[in-house]
Amino acid sequence: PEKVQGDWPEVRVYPDPETLIMDPDIGLVVIASPNATHAPLGRRALDQGKAVVIDKPFTLTMAEARDLVTQAEATGRLLSVFHNRRWDSDFLTVRRAIGDGLIGRVTHFESRFDRFRPEVRARWREQAGGGSGVWYDLGPHLVDQALLMFGLPERVMANLAALRSGAETDDWAHVILIYGDCRVTLQASMLVAGGTCRFLVHGATGSLEKRHADRQEAQLLGGLTPGNSGWGEDPDPLILYSADGSTRQIAAQAGDQRAFYIGVRDAMRGLSGNPVPPIQALAVMAVVEAAVRSSAEGASVDIGLSEAERARWAADR
């Protein structure tokens, strides 16, 4: 409590989640706790009539995700998932360039979140257990962006591995989303020194390269407050390689992850729709879970959504 109130003196601090959830003054509960607690805390908050935002990954399993979606619909309460990377500068810039037709039909889309953290740390994200590992940590971001861009894949082919000395869970993920005439490669690793391109996209008439990632997380860690001068600005340009061999730099669009909570606020007031509808979060979980299954089986797999869920996803897209 002292640490919290050192920054925000008027903020109320609760001894446990149950006490917070039971507070009648609270209308929205945000669950940013360890992954295994997402489903039980989400269920409890919905039981108490709260609107709920859950950090990614939505849940540990599709079964848990479906139960929460059903419960939210039955109670009429807002349920959303914090897919904040929809409002990253790098993704917004690449998506706009593709939408503007700068490289024609996309044939290959590569999206990476790479880190260099060679030492295994004693924390739940890197210990054996449900919901740990780099795929459940970074994979939902990569998948959500891919689904926004290309829709539901036909099949998923994945390889997950633990490559660091002493690793207890996956710290390397290579996942291919299979579309008819396009392949989407999602990559995450904890053993990449020097960095790699955040996005690399090839199309029928050219290619795009976005070298560096959105800076909002780094800005937060550096003490910059959202909304202050320079917030979300990205000095790293998008590079367009044209069919004639020429190159052109395109200024990156600014990012602003606050847009998610602006959307939640407006949805709770009845002014707009849910910024991340539950069916979209369920689709992300379907791909995340399919990748785990594919890696275990060594084969491409279907994403496991029912026809009704696919139709619902298409309607809410």
Side-chain angles (χ1 to χ4, degrees):
E2 294 78 15
K3 184 176 180 181
V4 173
Q5 290 166 345
D7 290 326
W8 301 286
E10 303 304 317
V11 168
R12 193 181 311 168
V13 180
Y14 297 81
D16 54 66
E18 180 70 15
T19 305
L20 181 149
I21 289 170
M22 294 295 291
D23 189 330
D25 292 334
I26 291 175
L28 169 67
V29 173
V30 178
I31 299 170
S33 48
N35 297 345
T37 68
H38 288 185
L41 289 178
R43 283 194 295 269
R44 186 62 178 140
L46 289 170
D47 279 342
Q48 292 302 309
K50 313 297 186 184
V52 176
V53 167
I54 299 179
D55 199 5
K56 58 77 205 167
F58 186 9
T59 57
L60 295 188
T61 67
M62 281 285 285
E64 289 180 335
R66 284 179 169 126
D67 286 346
L68 282 181
V69 172
T70 299
Q71 185 179 1
E73 291 173 348
T75 58
R77 297 300 176 184
L78 180 138
L79 172 64
S80 195
V81 175
F82 187 50
H83 283 303
N84 57 314
R85 298 289 185 173
R86 296 183 176 195
W87 295 275
D88 279 4
S89 62
D90 48 23
F91 175 67
L92 292 172
T93 301
V94 169
R95 189 181 190 187
R96 180 177 61 185
I98 291 174
D100 288 344
L102 296 187
I103 60 170
R105 179 179 61 83
V106 174
T107 58
H108 174 88
F109 181 90
E110 185 173 325
S111 176
R112 308 176 68 107
F113 274 132
D114 290 323
R115 308 281 190 266
F116 187 63
R117 297 174 182 170
E119 301 297 327
V120 177
R121 293 180 288 177
R123 59 177 194 153
W124 67 264
R125 291 185 189 276
E126 300 183 56
Q127 296 168 346
S132 67
V134 72
W135 179 239
Y136 267 81
D137 184 23
L138 299 178
H141 289 314
L142 298 169
V143 171
D144 184 59
Q145 291 179 339
L147 298 191
L148 285 176
M149 193 84 74
F150 300 103
L152 300 176
E154 299 167 7
R155 307 279 292 176
V156 175
M157 183 71 188
N159 191 290
L160 310 179
L163 302 181
R164 292 178 297 175
S165 177
E168 298 180 20
T169 187
D170 62 277
D171 53 20
W172 182 89
H174 183 81
V175 178
I176 299 174
L177 308 187
I178 300 172
Y179 299 87
D181 55 2
C182 176
R183 295 295 181 270
V184 172
T185 300
L186 309 178
Q187 175 81 31
S189 174
M190 290 296 165
L191 283 175
V192 177
T196 50
C197 282
R198 175 66 183 88
F199 288 104
L200 187 61
V201 191
H202 302 298
T205 62
S207 296
L208 300 169
E209 181 181 69
K210 183 68 173 70
R211 293 176 179 170
H212 299 296
D214 175 272
R215 299 175 65 245
Q216 290 175 83
E217 183 176 347
Q219 288 178 329
L220 285 172
L221 293 173
L224 188 65
T225 301
N228 281 1
S229 177
W231 173 256
E233 293 181 1
D234 185 350
D236 177 57
L238 180 69
I239 301 174
L240 169 64
Y241 298 90
S242 298
D244 61 6
S246 64
T247 63
R248 176 162 64 96
Q249 292 189 351
I250 301 170
Q253 182 176 340
D256 194 349
Q257 296 174 4
R258 293 178 302 167
F260 172 80
Y261 277 108
I262 291 171
V264 168
R265 177 201 66 193
D266 290 347
M268 292 180 67
R269 292 176 174 175
L271 301 176
S272 69
N274 189 336
V276 181
I279 189 63
Q280 294 182 3
L282 181 66
V284 172
M285 285 306 306
V287 176
V288 169
E289 195 169 274
V292 175
R293 191 167 71 252
S294 170
S295 183
E297 297 176 3
S300 67
V301 300
D302 182 81
I303 62 173
L305 287 175
S306 69
E307 289 302 317
E309 289 167 338
R310 290 172 184 270
R312 178 77 176 275
W313 179 89
D316 282 358
R317 188 181 181 189

